[in-house]
Each structure stands twice: as structure tokens, then as C-alpha cells.
Amino acid sequence: MTARILDGKAVAARIRSTMADEVAALISKHGRAPGLAVILVGEDAASEVYVRNKKKACVDTGIESAAFSQTLPASTTQQHLLGLIAELNANPKVDGILVQMPLPAQIDSETVIEAIDPGKDVDGFHPYNVGRLAARIPSLRSCTPYGCMKLLEETGLDLHGQEVVIVGASNIVGRPMALELLLAGATVTVAHKFTRDLQAHIERADIVVAAAGKPGLVKGEWIKPGAVVIDVGINRLNDGTLTGDVGYAAAAERAGWITPVPGGVGPMTITMLLANTVQAFREHLGDTL
Ligand code: NAD
């Protein structure tokens, strides 16, 4: 079997194009654009690229980001950052606040995440929003798992009862991914660095979501024929190329569907950030669908 490609770039472009029309209509109705503040602290090269891409996606969709975004020096104190978040929380034109992670060592990320108004937490990282997802009443959802769910929708597969193995248990990917899939009725296993015999878990999975950040951790030969493979991993090799966590060539020969890296989950993450910002805007203005 040769897998069909889950083309995140194409799906993202389609969603963003519809969203741009929706945003244009919201601007003419409410007299202002949805506002997203993107805060970068320090000069981490990868973070600079992510922030640039997020701001560009805002411009393309009609979301106002430039007016509220700030780049702060690496020496920024936690107190200063918390002061800025308090101002953004109080600003009625700001619907979403994103603080790019990782933060410099002197700043505690959990404190920062919890300082963001949960109604403006468009990354979906605040314990309030994670808790709502756990309680099956999701509000603002974590962007990467939310994007993976949209990609799974593309397969047309009924998720009820599917055996899913998630590799990785982080707060931003593995855990909220497990909650999303439970909500969708799948049978979920979360593997992590203490898991014994990862191969045995992968071999029985109808759906594999790989998010460990280890190139080639999931061997393509382990994939059950016809399974869906969602590769969240982004790893830069010594030659500069990007690769996922799954051995792509062998997996693509066995899987039913597979995401490429790059061009799979990555574009969907930013798209769901935009979707969350529009959702937060609607909720702030009492204009929910
Ligand atoms: P993390 O380091 O916080 O978590 C990694 C997880 O993998 C941990 O739970 C750990 O227990 C698990 N793990 C490590 N080694 C393992 C092993 N041998 N077997 C099983 N599990 C193992 O990483 P993260 O922030 O969740 O990111 C994971 C990957 O996803 C990274 O490559 C990151 O760049 C990528 N990522 C991509 C996007 C996107 O939009 N495509 C978004 C977020 C993260």
C-alpha cells in the first residue's frame, strides 16, 4: 500500500481562505479586527521564525497583530512580562495573547501561562482551558492537537473505537492530544520516555501520533498496514533538513494516510491559532455562531 498524503499546507490554506472572508465580515460588522498580541522574549532563532510566520499569517487573514505585538530583550524580568500581560488582559482590542515559548531561564513559564486571561489564551495552554477539554466542555483548544484533529477529519475516518497510540506526553502536544482523541471516542494509549516496548504499542495502532522530538524514533516498519500516521515531530538534522519522528519512507509504504514533515502538522498549528483568535473575538463581542 502507498499512503495518501495528509497535506497540511493545502488544508491550512483552505481553512485560512474561508477565515479571511469571515474576518472581513466581522470587521465590517464590529468596526475592528480580531487582535492578537504576539510576545517574543529574547533572540532564539527558531522562535523568531515561528513568531514571524504567526504575524504574517495574521496579516494574510486580516487579524491585527502588529499594533499589539512586542519583542522584548532576553534580560526582561518576569515582573515586567507579567505587567505587560496585565495590560494586554485589560485591553479590549486584544482578543488573544501568545507568549512564545521557550522563555529565558529567569522567567517561569507556568506563572506566565497562568497570568494570561483564559478567554485570551489562544495557545490553549492555560490550566483552565486544558481542564475544560478534560471535562469535555472545550473552549480554547491547544493549537497543535486541534490541528491534528482537523487533519484526522480529512481522512473521513470514524474515530470511535479506533486504537490510537500517541508518542509523547508533553503539556503542549501529547496530553491535550489524548484528551481530544478521548473526546472523539478513540481508545487512547499515551507512550512516553518510560514506556516499555514502544514497537508493540505502535504495531497494534490504527492511528499513530508521534510527538517526541526524536528523529526516526518510530520505525516505518512498525506501522500497521492501512494505519494513519500523524507526525508532529520537527527535528533539524546536521545537514539542515527537517524530519519528523517517524521513518517516513517505510511508513509511507504501509500506512493508509501520512503527514509529511514539513508541510503536515506545522501549517495546521498556526491555522488553529488564528481560529482560536477569531473564536475569542466572537466570544468577547457576544457574537458566537
Ligand atoms: P517535549 O520534549 O516537551 O516532550 C517530548 C515527549 O516525548 C515527552 O513526553 C517524552 O516522555 C517523550 N519521549 C521522549 N523520548 C521518548 C521515547 N524514546 N519513547 C517514547 N516517548 C519518548 O516535546 P514537545 O514540545 O511535545 O514537542 C515534541 C515534538 O513536536 C518536537 O519535535 C517539536 O518540535 C514538535 N512540535 C511540533 C509542532 C508543530 O506545530 N508541528 C508543535 C509543537 C511541537
mmCIF file of all heavy atoms in Angstrom, residues 50 144 167-170 172-174 191-195 198 210-214 217 231-235 245 265-266 269, ligand 1:
data_model
loop_
_atom_site.group_PDB
_atom_site.id
_atom_site.type_symbol
_atom_site.label_atom_id
_atom_site.label_comp_id
_atom_site.label_asym_id
_atom_site.label_seq_id
_atom_site.Cartn_x
_atom_site.Cartn_y
_atom_site.Cartn_z
ATOM 1 N N TYR A 50 9.185 31.255 14.093
ATOM 2 C CA TYR A 50 7.791 30.937 14.426
ATOM 3 C C TYR A 50 6.963 32.217 14.563
ATOM 4 O O TYR A 50 5.854 32.316 14.045
ATOM 5 C CB TYR A 50 7.704 30.150 15.748
ATOM 6 C CG TYR A 50 8.282 28.748 15.683
ATOM 7 C CD1 TYR A 50 8.954 28.199 16.763
ATOM 8 C CD2 TYR A 50 8.140 27.968 14.544
ATOM 9 C CE1 TYR A 50 9.490 26.914 16.712
ATOM 10 C CE2 TYR A 50 8.667 26.681 14.492
ATOM 11 C CZ TYR A 50 9.346 26.166 15.572
ATOM 12 O OH TYR A 50 9.858 24.903 15.522
ATOM 13 N N THR A 144 -1.816 22.716 18.427
ATOM 14 C CA THR A 144 -1.258 21.588 17.670
ATOM 15 C C THR A 144 -2.197 20.375 17.687
ATOM 16 O O THR A 144 -2.527 19.835 16.619
ATOM 17 C CB THR A 144 0.161 21.232 18.171
ATOM 18 O OG1 THR A 144 0.983 22.389 17.995
ATOM 19 C CG2 THR A 144 0.760 20.079 17.407
ATOM 20 N N VAL A 167 2.755 9.154 20.880
ATOM 21 C CA VAL A 167 4.117 9.025 21.400
ATOM 22 C C VAL A 167 4.550 10.408 21.882
ATOM 23 O O VAL A 167 4.744 11.319 21.073
ATOM 24 C CB VAL A 167 5.090 8.495 20.326
ATOM 25 C CG1 VAL A 167 6.451 8.201 20.954
ATOM 26 C CG2 VAL A 167 4.522 7.237 19.665
ATOM 27 N N GLY A 168 4.660 10.550 23.186
ATOM 28 C CA GLY A 168 4.977 11.849 23.780
ATOM 29 C C GLY A 168 3.841 12.279 24.690
ATOM 30 O O GLY A 168 2.665 12.067 24.352
ATOM 31 N N ALA A 169 4.196 12.860 25.842
ATOM 32 C CA ALA A 169 3.173 13.191 26.841
ATOM 33 C C ALA A 169 3.343 14.619 27.349
ATOM 34 O O ALA A 169 3.056 14.926 28.499
ATOM 35 C CB ALA A 169 3.261 12.202 27.999
ATOM 36 N N SER A 170 3.815 15.520 26.471
ATOM 37 C CA SER A 170 4.052 16.897 26.927
ATOM 38 C C SER A 170 2.742 17.644 27.127
ATOM 39 O O SER A 170 1.693 17.243 26.613
ATOM 40 C CB SER A 170 4.909 17.645 25.898
ATOM 41 O OG SER A 170 4.140 17.917 24.742
ATOM 42 N N ILE A 172 1.996 20.460 25.831
ATOM 43 C CA ILE A 172 1.520 21.204 24.651
ATOM 44 C C ILE A 172 1.084 20.286 23.512
ATOM 45 O O ILE A 172 0.345 20.709 22.644
ATOM 46 C CB ILE A 172 2.550 22.241 24.139
ATOM 47 C CG1 ILE A 172 3.838 21.586 23.660
ATOM 48 C CG2 ILE A 172 2.850 23.276 25.203
ATOM 49 C CD1 ILE A 172 4.677 22.540 22.832
ATOM 50 N N VAL A 173 1.539 19.035 23.501
ATOM 51 C CA VAL A 173 1.110 18.138 22.420
ATOM 52 C C VAL A 173 0.474 16.855 22.955
ATOM 53 O O VAL A 173 -0.730 16.639 22.821
ATOM 54 C CB VAL A 173 2.253 17.789 21.432
ATOM 55 C CG1 VAL A 173 1.659 17.084 20.208
ATOM 56 C CG2 VAL A 173 3.050 18.994 20.988
ATOM 57 N N GLY A 174 1.282 15.966 23.547
ATOM 58 C CA GLY A 174 0.796 14.613 23.862
ATOM 59 C C GLY A 174 -0.438 14.580 24.743
ATOM 60 O O GLY A 174 -1.424 13.904 24.432
ATOM 61 N N ALA A 191 2.238 6.908 25.028
ATOM 62 C CA ALA A 191 3.584 6.383 25.299
ATOM 63 C C ALA A 191 4.509 7.557 25.619
ATOM 64 O O ALA A 191 4.304 8.667 25.125
ATOM 65 C CB ALA A 191 4.090 5.616 24.084
ATOM 66 N N HIS A 192 5.508 7.314 26.445
ATOM 67 C CA HIS A 192 6.447 8.376 26.818
ATOM 68 C C HIS A 192 7.802 7.747 27.081
ATOM 69 O O HIS A 192 7.998 6.555 26.800
ATOM 70 C CB HIS A 192 5.925 9.165 28.030
ATOM 71 C CG HIS A 192 5.397 8.268 29.103
ATOM 72 N ND1 HIS A 192 6.225 7.546 29.919
ATOM 73 C CD2 HIS A 192 4.116 7.925 29.434
ATOM 74 C CE1 HIS A 192 5.489 6.814 30.733
ATOM 75 N NE2 HIS A 192 4.200 7.020 30.451
ATOM 76 N N LYS A 193 8.718 8.533 27.618
ATOM 77 C CA LYS A 193 10.098 8.019 27.692
ATOM 78 C C LYS A 193 10.246 6.820 28.618
ATOM 79 O O LYS A 193 11.247 6.120 28.561
ATOM 80 C CB LYS A 193 11.073 9.137 28.059
ATOM 81 C CG LYS A 193 10.863 9.739 29.404
ATOM 82 C CD LYS A 193 11.826 10.906 29.609
ATOM 83 C CE LYS A 193 11.465 11.630 30.877
ATOM 84 N NZ LYS A 193 12.088 12.934 30.988
ATOM 85 N N PHE A 194 9.283 6.554 29.498
ATOM 86 C CA PHE A 194 9.373 5.385 30.375
ATOM 87 C C PHE A 194 8.615 4.179 29.823
ATOM 88 O O PHE A 194 8.544 3.131 30.471
ATOM 89 C CB PHE A 194 8.844 5.724 31.781
ATOM 90 C CG PHE A 194 9.593 6.845 32.444
ATOM 91 C CD1 PHE A 194 8.943 8.004 32.842
ATOM 92 C CD2 PHE A 194 10.964 6.756 32.649
ATOM 93 C CE1 PHE A 194 9.636 9.039 33.434
ATOM 94 C CE2 PHE A 194 11.673 7.792 33.247
ATOM 95 C CZ PHE A 194 11.009 8.945 33.642
ATOM 96 N N THR A 195 8.016 4.345 28.650
ATOM 97 C CA THR A 195 7.219 3.253 28.082
ATOM 98 C C THR A 195 8.124 2.091 27.670
ATOM 99 O O THR A 195 9.159 2.308 27.026
ATOM 100 C CB THR A 195 6.427 3.770 26.855
ATOM 101 O OG1 THR A 195 5.508 4.757 27.319
ATOM 102 C CG2 THR A 195 5.677 2.660 26.144
ATOM 103 N N LEU A 198 7.918 0.172 22.918
ATOM 104 C CA LEU A 198 7.145 1.097 22.070
ATOM 105 C C LEU A 198 6.670 0.399 20.803
ATOM 106 O O LEU A 198 5.538 0.579 20.352
ATOM 107 C CB LEU A 198 8.026 2.314 21.719
ATOM 108 C CG LEU A 198 7.385 3.397 20.858
ATOM 109 C CD1 LEU A 198 6.202 4.039 21.577
ATOM 110 C CD2 LEU A 198 8.409 4.467 20.484
ATOM 111 N N ALA A 210 2.883 10.884 16.511
ATOM 112 C CA ALA A 210 4.252 10.890 17.029
ATOM 113 C C ALA A 210 4.659 12.306 17.400
ATOM 114 O O ALA A 210 4.653 13.205 16.555
ATOM 115 C CB ALA A 210 5.201 10.322 15.982
ATOM 116 N N ALA A 211 4.986 12.522 18.684
ATOM 117 C CA ALA A 211 5.357 13.861 19.154
ATOM 118 C C ALA A 211 6.385 13.735 20.266
ATOM 119 O O ALA A 211 6.150 14.125 21.408
ATOM 120 C CB ALA A 211 4.124 14.608 19.638
ATOM 121 N N ALA A 212 7.542 13.191 19.938
ATOM 122 C CA ALA A 212 8.602 13.010 20.929
ATOM 123 C C ALA A 212 9.791 13.935 20.651
ATOM 124 O O ALA A 212 10.586 14.221 21.535
ATOM 125 C CB ALA A 212 9.072 11.557 20.938
ATOM 126 N N GLY A 213 9.922 14.380 19.406
ATOM 127 C CA GLY A 213 11.086 15.205 19.060
ATOM 128 C C GLY A 213 12.343 14.362 18.920
ATOM 129 O O GLY A 213 13.447 14.822 19.227
ATOM 130 N N LYS A 214 12.174 13.113 18.448
ATOM 131 C CA LYS A 214 13.330 12.202 18.248
ATOM 132 C C LYS A 214 13.268 11.660 16.821
ATOM 133 O O LYS A 214 12.399 10.812 16.532
ATOM 134 C CB LYS A 214 13.260 11.015 19.221
ATOM 135 C CG LYS A 214 13.165 11.380 20.674
ATOM 136 C CD LYS A 214 14.486 11.153 21.350
ATOM 137 C CE LYS A 214 14.753 12.078 22.463
ATOM 138 N NZ LYS A 214 14.693 11.943 23.746
ATOM 139 N N LEU A 217 12.425 7.815 15.695
ATOM 140 C CA LEU A 217 12.070 7.003 16.879
ATOM 141 C C LEU A 217 11.050 5.920 16.508
ATOM 142 O O LEU A 217 11.156 4.777 16.957
ATOM 143 C CB LEU A 217 11.493 7.915 17.978
ATOM 144 C CG LEU A 217 10.933 7.200 19.202
ATOM 145 C CD1 LEU A 217 12.055 6.513 19.987
ATOM 146 C CD2 LEU A 217 10.184 8.171 20.117
ATOM 147 N N ASP A 231 2.607 12.836 12.094
ATOM 148 C CA ASP A 231 3.954 13.069 12.620
ATOM 149 C C ASP A 231 4.091 14.538 13.028
ATOM 150 O O ASP A 231 4.196 15.424 12.183
ATOM 151 C CB ASP A 231 4.990 12.709 11.540
ATOM 152 C CG ASP A 231 6.386 12.576 12.117
ATOM 153 O OD1 ASP A 231 6.595 12.985 13.282
ATOM 154 O OD2 ASP A 231 7.281 12.059 11.401
ATOM 155 N N VAL A 232 4.075 14.752 14.347
ATOM 156 C CA VAL A 232 4.153 16.129 14.865
ATOM 157 C C VAL A 232 5.614 16.576 14.996
ATOM 158 O O VAL A 232 5.917 17.770 14.979
ATOM 159 C CB VAL A 232 3.450 16.214 16.248
ATOM 160 C CG1 VAL A 232 3.466 17.636 16.787
ATOM 161 C CG2 VAL A 232 2.009 15.704 16.164
ATOM 162 N N GLY A 233 6.512 15.627 15.101
ATOM 163 C CA GLY A 233 7.926 15.944 15.357
ATOM 164 C C GLY A 233 8.536 16.857 14.298
ATOM 165 O O GLY A 233 8.245 16.731 13.108
ATOM 166 N N ILE A 234 9.335 17.792 14.774
ATOM 167 C CA ILE A 234 10.112 18.637 13.854
ATOM 168 C C ILE A 234 11.553 18.579 14.351
ATOM 169 O O ILE A 234 11.865 19.103 15.428
ATOM 170 C CB ILE A 234 9.638 20.109 13.866
ATOM 171 C CG1 ILE A 234 8.153 20.211 13.514
ATOM 172 C CG2 ILE A 234 10.474 20.954 12.898
ATOM 173 C CD1 ILE A 234 7.599 21.626 13.579
ATOM 174 N N ASN A 235 12.402 17.922 13.594
ATOM 175 C CA ASN A 235 13.799 17.754 14.010
ATOM 176 C C ASN A 235 14.705 18.237 12.887
ATOM 177 O O ASN A 235 14.514 17.864 11.738
ATOM 178 C CB ASN A 235 14.093 16.270 14.275
ATOM 179 C CG ASN A 235 13.074 15.643 15.222
ATOM 180 O OD1 ASN A 235 13.039 15.975 16.401
ATOM 181 N ND2 ASN A 235 12.219 14.765 14.698
ATOM 182 N N ASP A 245 9.419 12.374 13.463
ATOM 183 C CA ASP A 245 9.795 11.313 14.412
ATOM 184 C C ASP A 245 9.612 9.920 13.807
ATOM 185 O O ASP A 245 9.992 8.932 14.415
ATOM 186 C CB ASP A 245 8.912 11.397 15.669
ATOM 187 C CG ASP A 245 9.249 12.608 16.529
ATOM 188 O OD1 ASP A 245 10.224 13.305 16.223
ATOM 189 O OD2 ASP A 245 8.518 12.832 17.512
ATOM 190 N N VAL A 265 1.689 18.837 9.972
ATOM 191 C CA VAL A 265 1.063 19.412 11.163
ATOM 192 C C VAL A 265 1.420 20.900 11.342
ATOM 193 O O VAL A 265 0.584 21.697 11.789
ATOM 194 C CB VAL A 265 1.485 18.607 12.417
ATOM 195 C CG1 VAL A 265 0.936 19.230 13.689
ATOM 196 C CG2 VAL A 265 1.026 17.155 12.293
ATOM 197 N N GLY A 266 2.647 21.278 10.995
ATOM 198 C CA GLY A 266 3.127 22.654 11.228
ATOM 199 C C GLY A 266 2.155 23.738 10.757
ATOM 200 O O GLY A 266 1.741 24.592 11.553
ATOM 201 N N THR A 269 -0.987 24.069 12.908
ATOM 202 C CA THR A 269 -0.866 24.671 14.241
ATOM 203 C C THR A 269 -1.136 26.172 14.165
ATOM 204 O O THR A 269 -1.919 26.726 14.950
ATOM 205 C CB THR A 269 0.552 24.394 14.808
ATOM 206 O OG1 THR A 269 0.690 22.990 14.981
ATOM 207 C CG2 THR A 269 0.767 25.072 16.140
HETATM 208 P P1 NAD B 1 8.813 17.595 24.784
HETATM 209 O O1 NAD B 1 10.285 17.415 24.784
HETATM 210 O O2 NAD B 1 8.187 18.551 25.744
HETATM 211 O O3 NAD B 1 8.121 16.181 25.031
HETATM 212 C C1 NAD B 1 8.597 15.024 24.404
HETATM 213 C C2 NAD B 1 7.824 13.829 24.899
HETATM 214 O O4 NAD B 1 8.339 12.680 24.224
HETATM 215 C C3 NAD B 1 7.954 13.565 26.391
HETATM 216 O O5 NAD B 1 6.669 13.312 26.933
HETATM 217 C C4 NAD B 1 8.836 12.307 26.483
HETATM 218 O O6 NAD B 1 8.469 11.467 27.572
HETATM 219 C C5 NAD B 1 8.536 11.634 25.150
HETATM 220 N N1 NAD B 1 9.653 10.777 24.714
HETATM 221 C C6 NAD B 1 10.960 11.077 24.667
HETATM 222 N N2 NAD B 1 11.678 10.003 24.284
HETATM 223 C C7 NAD B 1 10.805 9.001 24.087
HETATM 224 C C8 NAD B 1 10.936 7.646 23.706
HETATM 225 N N3 NAD B 1 12.125 7.113 23.454
HETATM 226 N N4 NAD B 1 9.804 6.900 23.583
HETATM 227 C C9 NAD B 1 8.593 7.430 23.851
HETATM 228 N N5 NAD B 1 8.412 8.722 24.215
HETATM 229 C C10 NAD B 1 9.516 9.494 24.354
HETATM 230 O O7 NAD B 1 8.438 17.943 23.281
HETATM 231 P P2 NAD B 1 7.141 18.700 22.663
HETATM 232 O O8 NAD B 1 7.229 20.132 22.981
HETATM 233 O O9 NAD B 1 5.910 17.934 22.988
HETATM 234 O O10 NAD B 1 7.467 18.507 21.097
HETATM 235 C C11 NAD B 1 7.601 17.222 20.522
HETATM 236 C C12 NAD B 1 7.988 17.364 19.071
HETATM 237 O O11 NAD B 1 6.919 18.002 18.373
HETATM 238 C C13 NAD B 1 9.219 18.228 18.821
HETATM 239 O O12 NAD B 1 9.905 17.722 17.702
HETATM 240 C C14 NAD B 1 8.629 19.587 18.485
HETATM 241 O O13 NAD B 1 9.488 20.358 17.666
HETATM 242 C C15 NAD B 1 7.397 19.167 17.733
HETATM 243 N N6 NAD B 1 6.309 20.141 17.736
HETATM 244 C C16 NAD B 1 5.759 20.422 16.545
HETATM 245 C C17 NAD B 1 4.702 21.304 16.473
HETATM 246 C C18 NAD B 1 4.085 21.567 15.149
HETATM 247 O O14 NAD B 1 3.342 22.523 15.010
HETATM 248 N N7 NAD B 1 4.336 20.723 14.143
HETATM 249 C C19 NAD B 1 4.208 21.911 17.627
HETATM 250 C C20 NAD B 1 4.788 21.582 18.852
HETATM 251 C C21 NAD B 1 5.847 20.691 18.899
#
